[in-house]
Amino acid sequence: MERFLIIYRGASEPAERQEDRWTAWFDAMGGAVLDPGSLTQDSVEIPSRLIGPKASSSSLSGYSVLEALDFNAVVRMVQDCPIFDERGSVEIARLGRQSA
């Protein structure tokens, strides 16, 4: 099994989120959800050490960590993600293996 970072992008405002749909989606995946993560509301961007923070131009709206056999399996898992109903998208990244 491999671990995958799921990045949620471009979702609607938090007030429009359907929390019950998110809970049901996570519940349906069961033990594959290693960390349900969090949906974000605000973020700042720090472009370099010498320049202070500014409002982020990123569409980052949250993250989760899932476990699956491979990319194909995790893609099947996220196809029912509520973010799509909120006009958002997901990005999937394979995480490095944990040392024993």
Side-chain angles (χ1 to χ4, degrees), residues 15-55:
E16 297 176 31
R17 292 191 175 134
Q18 300 173 348
E19 299 299 329
D20 55 331
R21 294 200 66 224
W22 282 91
T23 300
W25 180 62
F26 284 126
D27 288 348
M29 291 187 293
V33 179
L34 300 180
D35 179 358
S38 179
L39 297 175
T40 61
Q41 295 182 16
D42 299 311
S43 62
V44 295
E45 182 177 346
I46 303 173
S48 76
R49 280 185 260 174
L50 302 176
I51 299 174
K54 64 178 185 171

Side-chain angles (χ1 to χ4, degrees), residues 1-93:
M1 298 293 272
E2 297 183 74
R3 295 177 310 132
F4 295 89
L5 177 65
I6 310 304
I7 301 292
Y8 307 111
R9 295 195 177 276
S12 58
E13 294 299 314
E16 297 176 31
R17 292 191 175 134
Q18 300 173 348
E19 299 299 329
D20 55 331
R21 294 200 66 224
W22 282 91
T23 300
W25 180 62
F26 284 126
D27 288 348
M29 291 187 293
V33 179
L34 300 180
D35 179 358
S38 179
L39 297 175
T40 61
Q41 295 182 16
D42 299 311
S43 62
V44 295
E45 182 177 346
I46 303 173
S48 76
R49 280 185 260 174
L50 302 176
I51 299 174
K54 64 178 185 171
S56 177
S57 60
S58 170
S59 63
L60 175 68
S61 58
Y63 77 96
S64 295
V65 178
L66 305 180
E67 185 175 58
L69 289 174
D70 56 25
F71 265 114
N72 291 331
V74 78
V75 166
R76 285 190 299 274
M77 291 166 67
V78 302
Q79 70 184 4
D80 293 326
C81 180
I83 197 78
F84 299 120
D85 297 328
E86 299 173 7
R87 298 177 307 280
S89 64
V90 298
E91 183 175 342
I92 302 170

